[in-house]
C-alpha cells in the first residue's frame, strides 16, 4: 500500500520485475488516522454522526462494517469526514456493548436469586396430602424488585448519556460541535479502518460503474476529432502541430479553476475493477489480504495511464463542485485519448443527492423530559433483549475459539476470502458504493437543486468545449467537425455518438434523430390543453 510520512512524503521500495520501469512500490507504514479534507464536510458529517447516536445498531454496523472491511478498497467520501463518523459509531457501539454486559449481569444475578427463592426445598406427605415448601418468598420478591430497580437505573442513565449528553454535541449551531472531534476518541483497532486519504487518487470499484462515490449518473457525451492533415479553403495542405495529452489536461484544469466557483476541486484519478487489480502492472495490491488495495499511487502511475489505453485501468480528470452545504455534489469526469490519428474525448456527469429524509429528523429531536425517562426506564423487556444480544455475541466468540465460525461478520468474511483464495477463486477487492451513497436519497429534494444541476452542467460543458476548440485551433487542427458536434451538445442537450441523442430526458435513435427537450414538450402540452394544433 502507498503510505506517507508525517510530512506527506511518499516512501518507496524498488519495483518488482513485473512492473514497468520507474514505478516504485511503497512500504506499508504504521497506521495513523488521516487528516481529513475539510471541504464542505461539517453539515453532512454532523448529521451522520448525530444519527449514530439516535439510530439503532443496524445503522452503526453499516458504518463500521464498511470502514472496517480490511481487504476491500477505500471509497471516496465526498462532502463528509468518514473517519469521524466511523469514530462516533464505534464509540457508541463500544459503550452499548459495556451497557449490555451490565444488563446481562443484572438478568443473570436476579435470575439466580429468583430460581433459588422459588425452587422447592422440601417435598413430602403430610398424612395423605402431598406438599412442597417453595423456599423463601422474600428472596423471590427481592429478585423481582432488584431486577426492576437495577435495570431501570441502568436504562435511565445509559439513555440519558446517549440521547441527552452525546446528542448535545451535534445540535445545529452548537458551540460544542467542534469539541466533539476530541471527545469521540477510540483506540486504533488491530485491523485499521479503511479511511479515504485526502490525497486519494486510485479507486478500486465493484459492479458496473467505476465512479464509486460520485452518486447517480446524469448523462454524458463523447466523440472523436480527426488530427490528420487537411486542405484549407485555399487548397493548401495543413499539418497540425503535435501535442500531448498532458498539455490538454493542464489547460483544462486551469480553465475550470478560473471559472471562480466556490468549493470546486479538480483531481486526477485512476479507476480499476476489483477483479482486475491482479492483472494490471501497478502495485494496487498490498502484501497481505488484511490490507486494503492502495488508494494513493505515485505520479508516475498517473502519467503512465493518462497516456495509455489500458483495458483494466483508466485515467479520468474528476471535476467536483460542492454545493448546498455539501448536501449536493456535482461530479464531471473528463478523459482524452489518442486513437490512431483521432483524439477521442469523453464527458460524464454525476450527482450525489442529499441524504435520505429520515436522517434530517435528528435536528428536531428534543431531549426527553425527566418524567418520561423514568417511566420508560421501567420497561422490563429492554434488559432482557439487551442481555440476549450480549449472550449471542459471547456464544459467537466461544464458537470461534473451537473453530466453528468467526466472532463477527468481518472475521467471517476474511475467513471465507482466505478459503476462496486457497481454492484459486478470484477475489473482488472493490466496493460498489461509498458510505455517503449508502445514506443518500435517490432524487433531488428541492427544485432549485435541479436548476443548479442544469447551471453547473451547462457552464462546465461550455467552458470545456470553448477551451478544447481554442486549443485545437492553436494546434492547427481542423475543427469543423468538432464545432458541429459542439453546437449539438450546447443547443440540443446531451449526445452520445452520431445516431444516439439524449435531450431533457427523452431518447431518440436513428440518423440525425433529435429528442425534444423539456421546453418543446411543455409547449406541446400547452397546445394540447388549449386545443391548438400545428396542422
Amino acid at each position: 500500500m502507498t503510505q506517507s510520512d508525517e510530512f506527506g512524503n511518499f516512501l518507496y521500495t524498488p519495483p518488482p520485475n513485473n512492473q514497468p520501469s520507474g514505478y516504485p512500490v511503497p512500504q506499508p507504514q504504521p497506521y495513523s488516522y488521516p487528516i481529513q479534507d475539510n471541504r464542505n464536510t461539517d453539515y453532512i458529517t454532523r448529521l451522520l454522526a448525530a444519527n449514530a447516536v439516535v439510530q439503532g445498531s443496524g445503522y452503526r454496523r453499516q458504518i463500521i462494517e464498511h470502514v472496517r472491511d480490511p481487504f476491500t478498497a477505500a471509497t471516496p467520501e465526498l462532502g463528509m469526514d468518514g473517519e469521524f463518523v466511523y469514530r462516533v459509531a464505534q464509540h457508541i457501539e463500544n459503550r452499548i456493548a459495556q451497557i449490555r454486559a451490565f444488563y446481562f449481569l443484572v438478568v443473570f444475578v436476579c435470575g439466580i436469586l429468583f430460581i433459588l427463592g422459588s425452587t422447592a426445598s422440601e417435598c413430602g406427605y403430610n398424612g395423605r396430602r402431598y406438599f412442597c415448601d417453595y423456599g423463601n418468598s422474600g428472596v423471590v420478591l427481592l429478585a423481582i424488585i432488584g431486577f426492576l430497580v437495577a435495570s431501570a437505573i441502568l436504562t435511565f442513565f445509559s439513555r440519558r448519556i446517549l440521547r441527552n449528553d452525546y446528542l448535545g454535541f451535534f445540535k445545529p449551531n452548537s458551540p460544542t460541535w467542534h469539541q466533539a472531534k476530541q471527545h469521540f476518541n477510540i483506540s486504533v483497532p488491530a485491523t485499521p479502518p479503511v479511511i479515504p486519504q485526502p490525497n486519494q487518487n486510485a479507486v478500486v470499484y465493484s459492479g458496473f460503474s467505476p465512479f464509486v462515490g460520485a452518486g447517480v449518473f446524469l448523462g454524458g457525451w463523447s466523440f472523436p476529432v480527426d488530427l490528420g492533415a487537411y486542405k484549407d479553403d485555399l487548397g493548401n495542405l495543413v499539418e497540425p502541430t503535435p501535442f500531448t495529452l498532458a498539455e490538454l489536461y493542464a489547460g483544462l484544469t486551469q480553465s475550470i479553476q478560473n471559472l471562480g466557483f466556490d468549493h470546486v476541486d479538480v483531481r486526477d484519478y485512476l479507476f480499476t475493477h476489483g477483479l482486475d487489480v491482479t492483472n494490471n502492472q501497478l502495485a494496487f495490491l498490498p502484501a497481505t489480504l488484511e490490507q486494503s488495495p492502495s488508494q494513493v499511487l505515485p505520479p508516475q502511475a498517473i502519467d503512465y495511464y493518462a497516456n495509455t489505453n489500458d483495458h483494466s485501468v483508466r485515467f479520468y480528470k474528476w471535476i467536483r463542485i460542492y454545493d448546498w452545504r455539501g448536501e449536493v455534489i456535482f461530479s464531471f469526469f473528463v478523459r482524452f485519448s489518442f486513437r490512431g490519428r483521432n483524439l477521442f474525448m469523453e464527458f460524464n456527469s454525476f450527482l450525489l443527492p442529499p441524504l435520505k429524509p429520515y436522517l434530517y429528523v435528528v435536528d428536531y429531536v428534543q431531549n426527553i423530559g425527566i418524567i418520561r425517562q423514568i417511566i420508560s426506564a421501567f420497561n422490563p423487556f429492554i434488559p432482557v433483549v439487551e442481555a440476549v444480544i450480549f449472550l449471542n455475541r459471547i456464544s459467537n466468540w466461544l464458537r470461534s475459539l473451537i473453530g466453528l465460525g468467526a466472532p463477527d461478520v468481518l472475521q467471517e468474511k476474511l475467513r471465507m476470502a482466505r478459503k476462496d483464495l486457497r481454492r484459486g477463486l478470484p477475489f473482488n477487492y472493490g466496493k460498489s458504493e461509498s458510505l455517503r451513497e449508502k445514506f443518500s436519497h435517490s432524487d433531488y429534494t428541492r427544485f432549485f437543486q435541479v436548476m443548479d444541476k442544469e447551471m453547473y452542467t451547462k457552464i462546465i460543458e461550455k467552458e470545456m468545449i470553448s477551451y478544447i476548440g481554442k486549443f485545437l485551433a492553436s494546434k492547427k487542427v481542423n475543427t469543423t467537425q468538432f464545432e458541429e458536434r459542439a453546437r449539438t451538445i450546447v443547443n440540443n442537450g446531451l449526445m452520445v455518438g452520431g445516431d444516439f441523442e439524449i435531450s431533457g430526458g427523452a431518447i431518440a435513435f436513428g440518423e440525425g434523430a433529435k429528442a425534444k427537450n423539456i421546453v418543446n414538450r411543455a409547449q406541446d402540452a400547452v397546445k394540447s390543453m388549449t386545443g391548438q394544433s400545428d396542422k
Side-chain angles (χ1 to χ4, degrees), residues 97-299:
Q98 297 171 357
I99 294 172
R100 283 172 178 157
F102 283 109
Y103 274 125
F104 177 78
L105 183 62
V106 169
V107 172
F108 179 78
V109 172
C110 293
I112 294 297
L113 289 176
F114 182 85
I115 293 173
L116 292 177
S118 59
T119 302
S121 59
E122 182 181 357
C123 293
Y125 284 94
N126 183 7
R128 295 182 177 181
R129 186 167 174 266
Y130 184 81
F131 74 97
C132 285
D133 184 3
Y134 284 95
N136 192 341
S137 59
V139 176
V140 175
L141 184 61
L142 176 63
I144 295 175
I145 295 177
F147 170 76
L148 292 175
V149 173
S151 61
I153 293 174
L154 186 57
T155 301
F156 176 81
F157 284 105
S158 62
R159 287 192 169 187
R160 186 173 182 83
I161 292 173
L162 292 177
R163 296 292 295 268
N164 291 17
D165 297 345
Y166 282 173
L167 197 57
F169 284 109
F170 306 111
K171 295 284 187 182
N173 304 317
S174 171
T176 60
W177 157 234
H178 295 287
Q179 300 175 13
K181 296 192 175 184
Q182 286 75 41
H183 181 82
F184 291 95
N185 291 318
I186 59 173
S187 59
V188 177
T191 304
V194 182
I195 304 293
Q197 302 286 335
N199 57 340
Q200 180 182 15
N201 61 10
V203 174
V204 180
Y205 68 96
S206 176
F208 179 75
S209 174
F211 306 119
V212 176
V216 182
F217 176 61
L218 298 178
W221 47 262
S222 61
F223 57 80
V225 175
D226 193 339
L227 302 179
Y230 63 96
K231 290 186 178 180
D232 61 15
D233 295 338
L234 301 178
N236 299 319
L237 184 65
V238 180
E239 289 283 351
T241 304
F243 62 90
T244 64
L245 295 179
E247 295 179 69
L248 193 55
Y249 282 122
L252 177 63
T253 300
Q254 188 62 48
S255 179
I256 297 299
Q257 291 173 341
N258 289 341
L259 288 173
F261 287 142
D262 293 331
H263 305 298
V264 63
D265 196 13
V266 184
R267 299 194 183 190
D268 299 331
Y269 267 82
L270 296 180
F271 297 86
T272 188
H273 196 278
L275 294 174
D276 295 334
V277 292
T278 55
N279 301 329
N280 68 75
Q281 294 177 304
L282 286 178
F284 275 98
L285 289 181
T288 64
L289 186 62
E290 285 80 1
Q291 295 175 338
S292 66
S294 300
Q295 56 173 300
V296 181
L297 295 180

Side-chain angles (χ1 to χ4, degrees), residues 398-448:
L398 293 175
R399 289 174 65 248
S400 68
L401 293 181
I402 58 177
L404 295 180
D408 56 32
V409 174
L410 292 178
Q411 293 299 320
E412 177 66 18
K413 188 175 180 180
L414 178 59
R415 187 178 71 87
M416 295 303 297
R418 286 171 172 160
K419 182 178 178 180
D420 289 344
L421 289 175
R422 284 197 299 268
R423 296 166 59 189
L425 298 177
F427 183 77
N428 192 336
Y429 291 87
K431 284 190 176 80
S432 60
E433 63 178 351
S434 68
L435 192 60
R436 173 67 168 80
E437 287 175 307
K438 283 180 183 291
F439 302 113
S440 292
H441 199 276
S442 58
D443 205 349
Y444 305 97
T445 57
R446 298 289 187 275
F447 175 79
F448 297 145

